[in-house]
Coordinates of all heavy atoms in Angstrom, one line a residue:
M1 N -5.1 -15.0 -36.9 CA -4.9 -13.6 -37.3 C -5.7 -13.3 -38.5 O -6.4 -12.3 -38.6 CB -3.4 -13.3 -37.4 CG -3.2 -11.9 -37.8 SD -3.6 -10.8 -36.5 CE -3.2 -9.2 -37.2
L2 N -5.5 -14.1 -39.6 CA -6.2 -13.9 -40.8 C -7.7 -14.0 -40.7 O -8.4 -13.3 -41.3 CB -5.6 -14.8 -41.9 CG -4.2 -14.5 -42.4 CD1 -3.8 -15.5 -43.5 CD2 -4.1 -13.1 -43.0
K3 N -8.1 -15.0 -39.9 CA -9.5 -15.2 -39.7 C -10.2 -14.0 -39.0 O -11.2 -13.6 -39.4 CB -9.8 -16.5 -38.9 CG -11.2 -16.8 -38.7 CD -11.4 -18.2 -38.2 CE -12.9 -18.5 -38.2 NZ -13.2 -19.8 -38.4
A4 N -9.5 -13.4 -38.0 CA -10.0 -12.2 -37.3 C -10.1 -11.1 -38.3 O -11.0 -10.3 -38.3 CB -9.1 -11.9 -36.1
L5 N -9.0 -10.9 -39.1 CA -9.0 -9.8 -40.1 C -10.1 -10.0 -41.1 O -10.8 -9.1 -41.5 CB -7.7 -9.7 -40.8 CG -7.4 -8.6 -41.7 CD1 -7.6 -7.3 -41.0 CD2 -6.1 -8.6 -42.3
G6 N -10.4 -11.3 -41.5 CA -11.5 -11.6 -42.4 C -12.8 -11.2 -41.8 O -13.7 -10.7 -42.4
N7 N -13.0 -11.5 -40.5 CA -14.2 -11.1 -39.8 C -14.4 -9.6 -39.7 O -15.6 -9.1 -39.9 CB -14.3 -11.7 -38.4 CG -14.4 -13.2 -38.4 OD1 -14.9 -13.8 -39.4 ND2 -14.0 -13.9 -37.3
V8 N -13.4 -8.9 -39.5 CA -13.5 -7.4 -39.5 C -13.9 -6.9 -40.9 O -14.7 -6.0 -41.0 CB -12.1 -6.8 -39.0 CG1 -12.1 -5.3 -39.3 CG2 -11.9 -7.1 -37.6
L9 N -13.3 -7.5 -41.9 CA -13.6 -7.1 -43.3 C -15.1 -7.4 -43.7 O -15.7 -6.6 -44.3 CB -12.6 -7.7 -44.3 CG -11.3 -7.0 -44.3 CD1 -10.4 -7.8 -45.3 CD2 -11.4 -5.6 -44.7
V10 N -15.5 -8.6 -43.2 CA -17.0 -8.9 -43.5 C -17.9 -7.9 -42.8 O -18.9 -7.4 -43.3 CB -17.3 -10.3 -43.0 CG1 -18.7 -10.6 -43.0 CG2 -16.6 -11.3 -43.9
G11 N -17.5 -7.5 -41.5 CA -18.3 -6.5 -40.8 C -18.3 -5.2 -41.5 O -19.3 -4.5 -41.7
S12 N -17.1 -4.8 -42.0 CA -17.0 -3.5 -42.7 C -17.7 -3.6 -44.1 O -18.3 -2.5 -44.5 CB -15.6 -3.1 -42.9 OG -14.9 -4.0 -43.7
L13 N -17.8 -4.7 -44.7 CA -18.6 -4.9 -45.9 C -20.0 -4.6 -45.7 O -20.7 -3.9 -46.4 CB -18.4 -6.3 -46.5 CG -17.1 -6.5 -47.4 CD1 -17.0 -8.0 -47.7 CD2 -17.2 -5.7 -48.7
A14 N -20.5 -5.2 -44.6 CA -21.9 -5.0 -44.2 C -22.3 -3.6 -43.9 O -23.3 -3.1 -44.3 CB -22.3 -5.9 -43.0
I15 N -21.4 -2.9 -43.1 CA -21.6 -1.5 -42.8 C -21.6 -0.6 -44.0 O -22.5 0.2 -44.2 CB -20.6 -1.1 -41.7 CG1 -20.9 -1.8 -40.4 CG2 -20.7 0.4 -41.5 CD1 -19.8 -1.6 -39.4
A16 N -20.6 -0.9 -44.9 CA -20.5 -0.1 -46.1 C -21.7 -0.3 -47.0 O -22.3 0.7 -47.6 CB -19.2 -0.4 -46.9
L17 N -22.2 -1.5 -47.1 CA -23.4 -1.8 -48.0 C -24.6 -1.1 -47.4 O -25.4 -0.5 -48.1 CB -23.6 -3.3 -48.1 CG -24.7 -3.7 -49.0 CD1 -24.4 -3.3 -50.4 CD2 -24.8 -5.3 -49.0
F18 N -24.7 -1.1 -46.0 CA -25.8 -0.4 -45.4 C -25.8 1.0 -45.7 O -26.8 1.7 -46.0 CB -25.8 -0.7 -43.9 CG -26.8 0.1 -43.1 CD1 -28.2 -0.2 -43.2 CD2 -26.4 1.2 -42.4 CE1 -29.1 0.5 -42.5 CE2 -27.3 2.0 -41.7 CZ -28.7 1.7 -41.8
L19 N -24.6 1.6 -45.6 CA -24.4 3.1 -45.9 C -24.8 3.4 -47.3 O -25.5 4.4 -47.6 CB -23.0 3.5 -45.6 CG -22.6 3.8 -44.1 CD1 -21.2 4.1 -44.0 CD2 -23.5 4.9 -43.6
A20 N -24.4 2.6 -48.2 CA -24.7 2.8 -49.6 C -26.2 2.8 -49.9 O -26.8 3.7 -50.5 CB -24.0 1.8 -50.5
I21 N -26.9 1.8 -49.3 CA -28.4 1.7 -49.5 C -29.1 2.8 -48.7 O -30.0 3.4 -49.3 CB -28.8 0.3 -49.0 CG1 -28.3 -0.8 -50.0 CG2 -30.3 0.2 -49.0 CD1 -28.5 -2.2 -49.6
A22 N -28.7 3.1 -47.5 CA -29.4 4.1 -46.7 C -29.2 5.5 -47.4 O -30.1 6.3 -47.4 CB -28.8 4.1 -45.3
G23 N -28.0 5.8 -47.9 CA -27.7 7.0 -48.6 C -28.6 7.1 -49.9 O -29.1 8.2 -50.2
A24 N -28.8 6.0 -50.6 CA -29.6 6.1 -51.8 C -31.1 6.3 -51.4 O -31.8 7.1 -52.1 CB -29.5 4.8 -52.5
V25 N -31.5 5.8 -50.3 CA -32.9 6.0 -49.9 C -33.1 7.4 -49.4 O -34.1 8.1 -49.8 CB -33.3 5.0 -48.7 CG1 -34.6 5.4 -48.1 CG2 -33.4 3.6 -49.3
V26 N -32.1 8.0 -48.7 CA -32.2 9.4 -48.3 C -32.2 10.3 -49.5 O -33.0 11.3 -49.6 CB -31.1 9.7 -47.3 CG1 -30.9 11.2 -47.1 CG2 -31.3 9.0 -46.0
A27 N -31.4 10.0 -50.5 CA -31.3 10.8 -51.7 C -32.6 10.7 -52.5 O -33.1 11.7 -53.0 CB -30.2 10.4 -52.6
L28 N -33.2 9.6 -52.5 CA -34.5 9.4 -53.1 C -35.6 10.2 -52.5 O -36.3 11.0 -53.2 CB -34.9 7.9 -53.1 CG -36.3 7.6 -53.7 CD1 -36.3 7.9 -55.2 CD2 -36.7 6.2 -53.4
F29 N -35.7 10.2 -51.2 CA -36.7 10.9 -50.5 C -36.4 12.4 -50.5 O -37.3 13.3 -50.6 CB -36.8 10.5 -49.0 CG -37.6 9.2 -48.9 CD1 -37.0 8.1 -48.2 CD2 -38.9 9.1 -49.3 CE1 -37.7 6.9 -48.1 CE2 -39.6 7.9 -49.2 CZ -39.0 6.8 -48.6
G30 N -35.1 12.8 -50.5 CA -34.8 14.2 -50.7 C -35.2 14.7 -52.1 O -35.6 15.9 -52.2
S31 N -35.1 13.9 -53.1 CA -35.5 14.2 -54.4 C -37.0 14.3 -54.5 O -37.6 15.2 -55.2 CB -35.0 13.2 -55.4 OG -35.4 13.5 -56.7
I32 N -37.7 13.4 -53.9 CA -39.2 13.4 -54.0 C -39.8 14.6 -53.2 O -40.7 15.3 -53.7 CB -39.7 12.1 -53.4 CG1 -39.4 10.9 -54.3 CG2 -41.2 12.2 -53.1 CD1 -39.8 9.6 -53.7
W33 N -39.2 14.9 -52.0 CA -39.7 16.0 -51.2 C -39.2 17.4 -51.7 O -39.7 18.4 -51.2 CB -39.4 15.8 -49.8 CG -40.2 14.6 -49.2 CD1 -41.4 14.1 -49.6 CD2 -39.8 13.8 -48.1 NE1 -41.7 13.0 -48.8 CE2 -40.8 12.9 -47.9 CE3 -38.7 13.8 -47.3 CZ2 -40.7 11.9 -46.9 CZ3 -38.6 12.9 -46.3 CH2 -39.6 11.9 -46.1
G34 N -38.2 17.4 -52.5 CA -37.7 18.7 -53.0 C -36.6 19.3 -52.2 O -36.4 20.5 -52.3
F35 N -36.0 18.6 -51.3 CA -34.9 19.1 -50.5 C -33.6 18.8 -51.1 O -33.1 17.7 -51.1 CB -34.9 18.5 -49.1 CG -36.2 18.8 -48.3 CD1 -37.0 17.8 -47.8 CD2 -36.5 20.1 -48.0 CE1 -38.1 18.1 -47.1 CE2 -37.6 20.4 -47.2 CZ -38.4 19.4 -46.8
S36 N -33.0 19.8 -51.7 CA -31.7 19.6 -52.4 C -30.6 19.3 -51.5 O -29.7 18.5 -51.8 CB -31.4 20.8 -53.3 OG -31.1 22.0 -52.4
G37 N -30.6 19.8 -50.3 CA -29.5 19.5 -49.3 C -29.6 18.1 -48.9 O -28.6 17.4 -48.8
L38 N -30.8 17.6 -48.7 CA -31.0 16.2 -48.3 C -30.6 15.2 -49.4 O -30.0 14.2 -49.2 CB -32.5 15.9 -47.9 CG -32.8 14.6 -47.2 CD1 -32.0 14.5 -45.9 CD2 -34.3 14.5 -46.9
K39 N -30.9 15.7 -50.6 CA -30.6 14.9 -51.8 C -29.1 14.8 -52.0 O -28.5 13.7 -52.2 CB -31.2 15.5 -53.0 CG -30.9 14.7 -54.3 CD -31.8 15.2 -55.5 CE -31.3 16.5 -55.9 NZ -32.0 16.9 -57.2
Q40 N -28.4 15.9 -51.8 CA -26.9 15.9 -51.9 C -26.2 15.1 -50.8 O -25.3 14.4 -51.0 CB -26.4 17.3 -51.9 CG -26.8 18.1 -53.2 CD -26.3 19.5 -53.2 OE1 -25.9 20.0 -52.1 NE2 -26.5 20.2 -54.3
A41 N -26.8 15.3 -49.6 CA -26.2 14.5 -48.4 C -26.4 13.0 -48.6 O -25.5 12.2 -48.4 CB -26.8 14.9 -47.1
G42 N -27.6 12.6 -49.1 CA -27.8 11.2 -49.4 C -26.9 10.7 -50.5 O -26.4 9.5 -50.4
A43 N -26.7 11.5 -51.5 CA -25.9 11.0 -52.6 C -24.4 10.9 -52.1 O -23.7 10.0 -52.5 CB -26.0 12.0 -53.8
F44 N -24.0 11.8 -51.3 CA -22.6 11.7 -50.8 C -22.4 10.5 -49.9 O -21.4 9.8 -50.0 CB -22.3 13.0 -49.9 CG -20.9 12.9 -49.3 CD1 -19.8 13.2 -50.1 CD2 -20.8 12.7 -48.0 CE1 -18.5 13.1 -49.5 CE2 -19.5 12.7 -47.4 CZ -18.4 12.9 -48.1
V45 N -23.4 10.2 -49.0 CA -23.3 9.1 -48.1 C -23.3 7.8 -49.0 O -22.6 6.8 -48.7 CB -24.4 9.1 -47.1 CG1 -24.5 7.7 -46.3 CG2 -24.2 10.2 -46.1
S46 N -24.2 7.8 -50.0 CA -24.3 6.6 -50.9 C -23.0 6.4 -51.6 O -22.5 5.2 -51.7 CB -25.4 6.8 -51.8 OG -25.5 5.6 -52.7
A47 N -22.4 7.4 -52.1 CA -21.1 7.3 -52.9 C -20.0 6.8 -52.0 O -19.2 6.0 -52.3 CB -20.8 8.6 -53.5
M48 N -19.9 7.4 -50.7 CA -18.9 6.9 -49.8 C -19.1 5.5 -49.4 O -18.1 4.7 -49.2 CB -18.9 7.9 -48.6 CG -18.3 9.3 -48.9 SD -16.7 9.3 -49.7 CE -15.7 8.6 -48.4
G49 N -20.3 5.1 -49.2 CA -20.6 3.7 -48.8 C -20.3 2.8 -49.9 O -19.7 1.7 -49.7
A50 N -20.5 3.1 -51.2 CA -20.2 2.3 -52.3 C -18.7 2.2 -52.5 O -18.1 1.1 -52.7 CB -20.8 2.8 -53.6
F51 N -18.0 3.3 -52.3 CA -16.5 3.3 -52.4 C -15.9 2.4 -51.3 O -15.0 1.6 -51.6 CB -16.0 4.7 -52.3 CG -14.5 4.8 -52.2 CD1 -13.7 4.6 -53.4 CD2 -13.8 5.0 -51.0 CE1 -12.3 4.6 -53.3 CE2 -12.4 5.1 -50.9 CZ -11.7 4.9 -52.1
C52 N -16.4 2.6 -50.1 CA -15.9 1.8 -49.0 C -16.2 0.3 -49.2 O -15.4 -0.6 -48.8 CB -16.4 2.3 -47.6 SG -15.8 3.9 -47.2
F53 N -17.4 0.0 -49.7 CA -17.8 -1.4 -50.0 C -16.8 -2.0 -51.0 O -16.3 -3.1 -50.7 CB -19.2 -1.5 -50.6 CG -19.6 -2.8 -50.9 CD1 -20.0 -3.7 -49.9 CD2 -19.6 -3.3 -52.2 CE1 -20.5 -5.0 -50.3 CE2 -20.0 -4.5 -52.6 CZ -20.4 -5.4 -51.6
F54 N -16.5 -1.3 -52.1 CA -15.6 -1.9 -53.0 C -14.1 -2.0 -52.5 O -13.4 -2.9 -52.9 CB -15.7 -1.2 -54.4 CG -17.0 -1.5 -55.1 CD1 -17.9 -0.5 -55.3 CD2 -17.2 -2.8 -55.5 CE1 -19.1 -0.8 -56.0 CE2 -18.4 -3.1 -56.2 CZ -19.3 -2.1 -56.4
A55 N -13.7 -1.0 -51.7 CA -12.4 -1.0 -51.1 C -12.3 -2.2 -50.2 O -11.3 -2.9 -50.2 CB -12.1 0.3 -50.4
A56 N -13.3 -2.5 -49.4 CA -13.2 -3.6 -48.4 C -13.3 -4.9 -49.2 O -12.7 -5.9 -48.8 CB -14.4 -3.5 -47.4
L57 N -14.0 -4.9 -50.3 CA -14.1 -6.1 -51.1 C -12.8 -6.5 -51.7 O -12.4 -7.6 -51.8 CB -15.2 -5.9 -52.2 CG -15.6 -7.2 -53.0 CD1 -16.2 -8.2 -52.1 CD2 -16.5 -6.8 -54.2
V58 N -12.1 -5.5 -52.2 CA -10.7 -5.7 -52.8 C -9.8 -6.2 -51.7 O -9.0 -7.1 -51.9 CB -10.2 -4.4 -53.4 CG1 -8.7 -4.5 -53.7 CG2 -10.9 -4.1 -54.7
L59 N -9.8 -5.6 -50.5 CA -9.0 -6.0 -49.4 C -9.3 -7.5 -49.0 O -8.5 -8.3 -48.6 CB -9.1 -5.1 -48.2 CG -8.4 -3.8 -48.3 CD1 -8.7 -2.9 -47.1 CD2 -6.9 -4.1 -48.3
F60 N -10.6 -7.8 -49.0 CA -11.1 -9.1 -48.6 C -10.5 -10.2 -49.6 O -10.1 -11.2 -49.2 CB -12.6 -9.2 -48.6 CG -13.2 -10.4 -48.0 CD1 -13.1 -10.7 -46.7 CD2 -13.9 -11.3 -48.8 CE1 -13.6 -11.8 -46.1 CE2 -14.4 -12.5 -48.3 CZ -14.3 -12.7 -47.0
R61 N -10.5 -9.8 -50.9 CA -10.0 -10.8 -51.9 C -8.5 -10.9 -51.7 O -7.9 -12.0 -51.9 CB -10.4 -10.3 -53.3 CG -11.9 -10.1 -53.5 CD -12.6 -10.9 -54.4 NE -11.9 -11.2 -55.7 CZ -12.1 -12.4 -56.3 NH1 -12.9 -13.2 -55.7 NH2 -11.6 -12.6 -57.4
Y62 N -7.8 -9.8 -51.4 CA -6.4 -9.8 -51.2 C -6.0 -10.7 -50.0 O -5.1 -11.5 -50.0 CB -5.8 -8.4 -51.0 CG -4.4 -8.3 -50.7 CD1 -3.4 -8.6 -51.7 CD2 -3.9 -8.0 -49.5 CE1 -2.1 -8.6 -51.5 CE2 -2.5 -8.0 -49.2 CZ -1.6 -8.3 -50.2 OH -0.3 -8.2 -50.0
I63 N -6.8 -10.5 -48.9 CA -6.5 -11.3 -47.7 C -6.8 -12.8 -47.9 O -6.1 -13.7 -47.4 CB -7.4 -10.8 -46.5 CG1 -6.9 -9.3 -46.1 CG2 -7.3 -11.7 -45.3 CD1 -5.5 -9.2 -45.6
G64 N -7.8 -13.0 -48.8 CA -8.2 -14.4 -49.1 C -7.1 -15.1 -49.8 O -7.0 -16.4 -49.7
R65 N -6.3 -14.4 -50.5 CA -5.2 -15.1 -51.3 C -4.0 -15.3 -50.4 O -3.1 -16.1 -50.8 CB -4.8 -14.2 -52.5 CG -5.8 -14.1 -53.5 CD -5.4 -13.3 -54.7 NE -6.4 -13.2 -55.7 CZ -6.4 -12.5 -56.7 NH1 -5.3 -11.7 -56.9 NH2 -7.4 -12.4 -57.6
M66 N -3.9 -14.7 -49.3 CA -2.7 -14.9 -48.4 C -2.8 -16.2 -47.7 O -3.9 -16.7 -47.4 CB -2.7 -13.8 -47.3 CG -2.4 -12.4 -47.9 SD -2.5 -11.1 -46.7 CE -1.0 -11.5 -45.7
K67 N -1.7 -16.9 -47.6 CA -1.6 -18.1 -46.9 C -1.0 -17.9 -45.6 O 0.0 -17.2 -45.4 CB -0.8 -19.1 -47.7 CG -1.2 -19.3 -49.2 CD -2.1 -20.5 -49.2 CE -2.4 -20.9 -50.7 NZ -3.6 -20.5 -51.2
P68 N -1.5 -18.6 -44.5 CA -0.9 -18.5 -43.2 C 0.5 -19.2 -43.3 O 0.7 -20.1 -44.0 CB -1.8 -19.2 -42.3 CG -2.7 -20.0 -43.1 CD -2.7 -19.4 -44.5
R69 N 1.4 -18.6 -42.5 CA 2.8 -19.1 -42.5 C 2.8 -20.4 -41.7 O 2.3 -20.4 -40.6 CB 3.7 -18.1 -41.9 CG 3.9 -16.9 -42.8 CD 5.0 -16.0 -42.3 NE 5.1 -14.9 -43.3 CZ 6.0 -14.0 -43.1 NH1 6.8 -14.0 -42.1 NH2 6.1 -13.0 -44.0
T70 N 3.4 -21.4 -42.2 CA 3.5 -22.7 -41.5 C 5.0 -23.0 -41.4 O 5.9 -22.5 -42.2 CB 2.8 -23.8 -42.3 OG1 3.4 -23.9 -43.6 CG2 1.3 -23.6 -42.3
P71 N 5.4 -23.8 -40.4 CA 6.8 -24.2 -40.3 C 7.3 -24.9 -41.5 O 6.5 -25.6 -42.2 CB 6.9 -25.1 -39.0 CG 5.5 -25.0 -38.4 CD 4.6 -24.4 -39.4
S72 N 8.6 -24.8 -41.8 CA 9.2 -25.4 -43.0 C 9.1 -27.0 -42.8 O 9.4 -27.5 -41.7 CB 10.6 -25.0 -43.1 OG 11.2 -25.7 -44.2
R73 N 8.8 -27.6 -43.9 CA 8.8 -29.1 -43.8 C 10.1 -29.7 -44.4 O 10.2 -30.9 -44.7 CB 7.6 -29.6 -44.7 CG 6.3 -29.1 -44.2 CD 5.8 -30.0 -43.1 NE 4.5 -29.5 -42.7 CZ 3.8 -30.1 -41.7 NH1 4.3 -31.2 -41.1 NH2 2.7 -29.6 -41.3
A74 N 11.1 -28.9 -44.5 CA 12.4 -29.4 -45.1 C 13.0 -30.4 -44.3 O 13.7 -31.3 -44.8 CB 13.3 -28.2 -45.3
D75 N 12.9 -30.3 -42.9 CA 13.5 -31.3 -42.1 C 12.5 -32.5 -41.7 O 12.8 -33.2 -40.7 CB 14.0 -30.6 -40.8 CG 12.9 -29.9 -40.0 OD1 11.8 -29.9 -40.5 OD2 13.2 -29.5 -38.9
G76 N 11.5 -32.6 -42.4 CA 10.5 -33.7 -42.1 C 9.6 -33.4 -41.0 O 8.8 -34.3 -40.6
G77 N 9.6 -32.2 -40.5 CA 8.6 -31.8 -39.5 C 9.1 -32.2 -38.1 O 8.3 -32.1 -37.1
S78 N 10.3 -32.7 -37.9 CA 10.7 -33.1 -36.6 C 11.2 -31.9 -35.8 O 11.7 -30.9 -36.3 CB 11.9 -34.1 -36.7 OG 13.0 -33.5 -37.4
V79 N 10.9 -32.0 -34.5 CA 11.3 -31.0 -33.6 C 12.5 -31.4 -32.8 O 12.5 -32.5 -32.3 CB 10.1 -30.7 -32.6 CG1 10.5 -29.6 -31.6 CG2 8.9 -30.3 -33.4
G80 N 13.5 -30.5 -32.7 CA 14.6 -30.8 -31.9 C 15.7 -31.4 -32.6 O 16.6 -31.9 -32.8

């Protein structure tokens, strides 16, 4: 379960990083070409991508600290 959640978080990290970079590129071209709407949209997408990247990074570190539950070894691990 934790491994699957880790894989989902790695995928969301990649998507958020892509959004942050793509938004920055769109904002740059909007600034160069003089389109203020394109510049603002690119800045918004870049900011949301950066926010989501850091949120997923925090969750990834939190999940990494969790330990999977194992059966108690108090009885020596014997069954029955």
Side-chain angles (χ1 to χ4, degrees):
M1 176 69 181
L2 288 178
K3 186 169 183 148
L5 187 57
N7 289 338
V8 168
L9 284 175
V10 167
S12 62
L13 278 171
I15 291 170
L17 186 61
F18 173 76
L19 281 176
I21 293 171
V25 169
V26 168
L28 175 68
F29 284 122
S31 179
I32 289 172
W33 293 332
F35 295 120
S36 63
L38 191 62
K39 182 171 68 171
Q40 290 175 353
F44 177 76
V45 169
S46 180
M48 290 306 293
F51 175 75
C52 291
F53 177 80
F54 287 115
L57 190 64
V58 166
L59 282 175
F60 190 70
R61 305 242 321 145
Y62 177 72
I63 295 297
R65 291 183 182 173
M66 293 175 68
K67 303 267 192 260
R69 293 187 179 182
T70 57
S72 174
R73 300 274 179 182
D75 59 352
S78 63
V79 177

